[in-house]
Amino acid sequence: MPMIELSRVTKKFRRQEVLKGIDLTLEEGDRVALVGSNGAGKTTLIRCLLGEYRCGGHVRVDGREPRAHRTEVLRRVGFVPQISPPLKMPVGQLVHFAAGVCDSSPDRMFEVAERLGLDARKIRRQPFNKLSGGMKQKLLIAVALGRECKLLVLDEPAANLDPEARHRFFQLLAERKEKAAMIISSHRLDEVASLVNRVVEMDQGRVVLDDQVADDVSMTAMLRSRIELARPSDAFARAAREWGFEESEEGRVWEGRVAGPDRLRFLGVVSRYAALLKGIELREQGGVHAE
């Protein structure tokens, strides 16, 4: 049985038709990049999958209709929203509530948060809505991944994470890739390309591309990088330090590490300073990857 079945799914908001006959099937082991510009219908489609919206057509998640069997469906889904909910409850209460809903262990969620660099026990009395954007994102990921589920739905999941937390997040996804189907939504393919084995692109409420992609990039790989500049640059220095890079030769040489799935995103940042570059090297630890 497919993990997800969508057949001729439509959704309207008043006169605006947001989804226009979506047909899509996902099997266990599929890791799908759901891409498209803002307004393409990605978030609306996700909300239909989660049973938040009534829609036309047929939606099945693990054989169940999300609106009619919402509790059972949500127990099978780990969800990270694009926008953090405005919850006022303390962090500890949120974790225990989320664990109770899906019959999971709060300790497991706290452990995942710690792996992401967040000591959620230490801030357990702080209201969720008072946390920084990065802290909220780490906690929401911990709630989603700190449980057994058959489907992960991640809407711009790493947008507020620093590079080290992103690497740890990729490691957590790698541990689940054989056990669950994944939908990773993003408006930019380069943000998620190395995490997935399938790309589904939406445009104006329709699926305009559904294709398998190469699946030979390790989700846990680390690349060592060395960048040489023609001259020092304060702007480049700020960007490099955000990635944890260290300088030498008076700011003309920078060295650091990049998570394998982040290579395209990293190269996109570096490309902004192309006029300054004298050389760039990326080597996968244990062997040459790119140069």
Side-chain angles (χ1 to χ4, degrees):
M1 178 187 300
M3 182 55 58
I4 290 177
E5 293 180 280
L6 303 175
S7 177
R8 302 186 65 79
V9 173
T10 60
K11 177 61 183 175
K12 288 184 178 182
F13 294 102
R14 297 183 179 177
R15 295 182 179 180
Q16 183 181 6
E17 191 174 21
V18 180
L19 299 180
K20 305 173 182 177
I22 301 294
D23 292 309
L24 194 64
T25 301
L26 271 70
E27 305 283 352
E28 186 176 305
D30 280 348
R31 301 192 308 278
V32 175
L34 183 63
V35 298
S37 60
N38 291 333
K42 305 185 303 297
T43 298
T44 299
L45 181 62
I46 286 172
R47 289 180 175 176
C48 290
L49 280 175
L50 298 176
E52 295 181 18
Y53 290 161
R54 297 183 184 277
C55 57
H58 298 281
V59 180
R60 295 290 183 273
V61 177
D62 200 22
R64 293 167 173 80
E65 200 279 319
R67 291 288 296 184
H69 304 279
R70 194 159 185 225
T71 300
E72 293 89 336
V73 167
L74 292 181
R75 283 177 178 168
R76 290 165 168 78
V77 179
F79 175 53
V80 179
Q82 179 180 5
I83 300 174
S84 300
L87 300 174
K88 296 182 180 180
M89 69 173 65
V91 166
Q93 183 181 342
L94 173 59
V95 170
H96 281 82
F97 172 78
V101 168
C102 59
D103 296 325
S104 187
S105 165
D107 289 339
R108 172 61 179 156
M109 295 180 181
F110 282 121
E111 289 167 7
V112 173
E114 190 169 349
R115 287 182 63 180
L116 291 167
L118 176 67
D119 188 347
R121 288 188 175 92
K122 188 175 181 180
I123 60 169
R124 64 187 182 279
R125 292 188 176 89
Q126 290 189 33
F128 176 80
N129 65 339
K130 299 297 184 181
L131 302 180
S132 68
M135 294 169 75
K136 289 177 182 177
Q137 196 75 353
K138 290 175 182 178
L139 190 63
L140 291 173
I141 291 172
V143 166
L145 299 185
R147 53 189 290 195
E148 292 297 325
C149 56
K150 293 187 174 184
L151 174 64
L152 290 171
V153 179
L154 314 171
D155 197 354
E156 302 282 1
N160 292 313
L161 299 183
D162 57 85
E164 181 60 30
R166 286 172 66 90
H167 175 52
R168 296 178 182 182
F169 172 57
F170 300 148
Q171 290 178 319
L172 288 163
L173 289 185
E175 294 169 9
R176 305 294 291 272
K177 70 177 186 177
E178 304 299 335
K179 304 175 183 177
M182 301 183 192
I183 297 177
I184 306 175
S185 176
S186 178
H187 67 283
R188 291 179 54 181
L189 180 57
D190 63 350
E191 294 277 343
V192 296
S194 298
L195 299 174
V196 302
N197 54 20
R198 184 176 167 192
V199 175
V200 173
E201 182 179 358
M202 293 185 65
D203 184 41
Q204 297 183 10
R206 302 183 189 276
V207 172
V208 296
L209 173 71
D210 184 354
D211 202 5
Q212 301 292 323
V213 296
D215 190 21
D216 55 1
V217 174
S218 170
M219 296 169 71
T220 60
M222 285 296 291
L223 309 176
R224 290 195 177 277
S225 178
R226 184 180 188 275
I227 298 172
E228 184 178 357
L229 303 179
R231 58 178 173 79
S233 163
D234 290 340
F236 182 87
R238 287 192 295 271
R241 291 190 181 107
E242 288 180 359
W243 284 82
F245 274 53
E246 296 181 355
E247 67 177 295
S248 60
E249 299 184 21
E250 298 181 344
R252 288 191 295 271
V253 174
W254 292 82
E255 295 182 311
R257 300 192 310 164
V258 179
D262 251 349
R263 69 192 72 195
L264 288 178
R265 183 171 182 265
F266 173 72
L267 290 172
V269 171
V270 173
S271 69
R272 302 171 194 166
Y273 309 95
L276 295 173
L277 294 178
K278 287 186 66 177
I280 178 171
E281 185 178 77
L282 285 173
R283 291 180 178 269
E284 189 165 330
Q285 292 181 351
V288 176
H289 177 78
E291 189 171 323

